[in-house]
Amino acid sequence: MPQRVTIGAVRFLNAAPLVHGLVERADVRLRLEDPSALAPLLLAGDVDAALMPAIEYFRLSAEAQERVRPRKADAGSLEPFVVLPVAAIVSSGPIGSIRLFGYAPMAKVRRVLLDPASRSANAMTRILFARRFGGRPHFAFPHAVGPDPARGPDAELLIGDRGLVAERPEAEWVLDLGLEWNRFVHRPFVYAVWVARADARLARLSELLAAARDAGLAAREDLAARAEAERGIPADVARRHLESQVKYAFGRKEREGLLLFYRMAAEEGLAPPGVRLRFPEGT
C-alpha cells in the first residue's frame, strides 16, 4: 500500500465535492477544519496538502521564505509551497455563503464584525469597503468585542454553512459578496485553492485530488440531499449552492481573478507583496 498522505480541507458544504471519498481511503488521512486553521497545519508539516483560503497561500509563502532566509544565502528564490491546479472554490456571481448583513445605512457603517473562520472573505470585505462601498470602518472579530458589546456592529460578515442559512430579520440590507465582487471587477473570486508542500509527492496528491473532484462533482445531487440531516441546510439551498453558485474550475480566468485580488490585497496591506503563484512543473 502507498504511504499514507494527510490532506486538510475546509469543513463547509462547498468543499464536500472536492474531498468526496477521501475519508474512506486507507492511504489518506483527511482533516476537516475551519479555513483559518489550515495554513498553520501546512506550515508545520502536519498536512501534505490543504484546501485553504487563497490569500493564505501568499502569506504562507512569504512567512516560509522569511523562516529560511537566515540559514540560506539563496533563500529568496525558495518557494516551499505550490498550488495544485486540480480545482478551487470559486464564484463568478452570487455565492450564497459569503454574506454581509447591515444594521445601519451603508454610508453610516463604522463598525464591521468579521468572521473568525475566514481569511479570503475577510480580506475581500475590507477591499470592497475601501474601493467599492466608499468607507474604511473599524473591523473586529466577535471575541474582541465580547458577547454584549455596548454598541452592536453596523454590519456583520458570515461565511460558510452558517452564512448560507443565517437569518437576520433585524438587518436593513444583505449583500452577497460574491455578487458584489463580480460587479466590481468582472472577474471570478477564488476563495480557496489546493496548496501542497513543494517536497510532497505532488503527482500522487494531484491524482488523488482529481479523482475526488470527479467523484464529488458527480455526487452533488446526493450531497445536497444529505445536507439537511447532516448540516441543517435545506436540500434546495444546498443544491443551488453546489450546482449553480460554487464553481470548481481553476483555469485562466480564475487565475487572473486570483492575481487581481492578490494585487489589491497587497496594496491594502492585507498580503505581503512580491509573492508569485507557483505550480508544479508541467502543469
Side-chain angles (χ1 to χ4, degrees):
M1 178 183 294
Q3 186 177 351
R4 199 181 197 197
V5 296
T6 302
I7 296 172
V10 294
R11 60 174 80 250
F12 301 144
L13 173 66
N14 56 23
L18 297 186
V19 295
H20 191 66
L22 291 181
V23 72
E24 288 87 15
R25 294 187 63 115
D27 57 344
V28 175
R29 181 190 178 207
L30 182 64
R31 294 188 59 166
L32 298 178
E33 307 283 350
D34 284 340
S36 57
L38 291 165
L41 292 176
L42 194 62
L43 187 62
D46 293 333
V47 296
D48 298 296
L51 181 64
M52 56 185 276
I55 197 168
E56 290 292 76
Y57 168 78
F58 301 102
R59 295 172 177 169
L60 191 66
S61 294
E63 181 176 349
Q65 288 188 24
E66 286 301 317
R67 285 191 176 193
V68 301
R69 195 178 302 276
R71 300 196 304 271
K72 293 186 178 291
D74 62 344
S77 65
L78 297 178
E79 296 180 72
F81 302 102
V82 295
V83 176
L84 302 177
V86 294
I89 295 178
V90 182
S91 71
S92 56
I95 183 64
S97 59
I98 311 291
R99 293 196 290 164
L100 186 69
F101 295 83
Y103 308 109
M106 179 62 79
K108 296 184 178 180
V109 171
R110 300 290 181 268
R111 179 173 173 167
V112 179
L113 282 189
L114 299 176
D115 194 313
S118 178
R119 284 294 185 269
S120 292
N122 285 342
M124 177 214 278
T125 302
R126 290 174 179 265
I127 292 169
L128 285 173
F129 266 101
R131 302 191 177 203
R132 178 169 172 80
F133 302 151
R136 292 186 180 271
H138 172 71
F139 295 97
F141 293 105
H143 66 267
V145 300
D148 295 307
R151 182 175 66 85
D154 300 315
E156 174 188 21
L157 177 68
L158 295 176
I159 74 158
D161 294 358
R162 190 167 66 124
L164 197 59
V165 299
E167 295 182 4
R168 295 291 189 271
E170 69 275 23
E172 296 184 13
W173 47 267
V174 182
L175 295 180
D176 183 305
L177 294 192
L179 177 60
E180 293 301 317
W181 183 266
N182 187 256
R183 286 173 171 171
F184 176 46
V185 303
H186 307 291
R187 293 289 188 280
F189 189 88
V190 179
Y191 300 91
V193 292
W194 281 115
V195 180
R197 300 181 64 83
D199 58 358
R201 287 155 291 168
L202 300 179
R204 180 161 174 253
L205 283 169
S206 295
E207 182 180 353
L208 283 170
L209 297 175
R213 173 204 64 204
D214 293 345
L217 293 180
R220 281 178 290 182
E221 180 73 26
D222 180 57
L223 292 170
R226 289 161 31 198
E228 188 153 16
E230 296 178 355
R231 301 173 181 269
I233 302 173
D236 60 330
V237 174
R239 186 175 300 107
R240 180 173 64 250
H241 189 54
L242 293 179
E243 296 183 356
S244 301
Q245 294 174 327
V246 185
K247 313 298 182 184
Y248 294 100
F250 190 46
R252 178 181 59 82
K253 289 183 179 180
E254 290 77 24
R255 297 181 193 191
E256 289 176 356
L258 176 56
L259 289 173
L260 177 60
F261 166 60
Y262 167 60
R263 178 177 62 77
M264 289 191 283
E267 290 170 355
E268 294 291 331
L270 303 173
V275 181
R276 67 186 181 99
L277 277 177
R278 182 189 175 201
F279 302 96
E281 292 184 9
T283 61

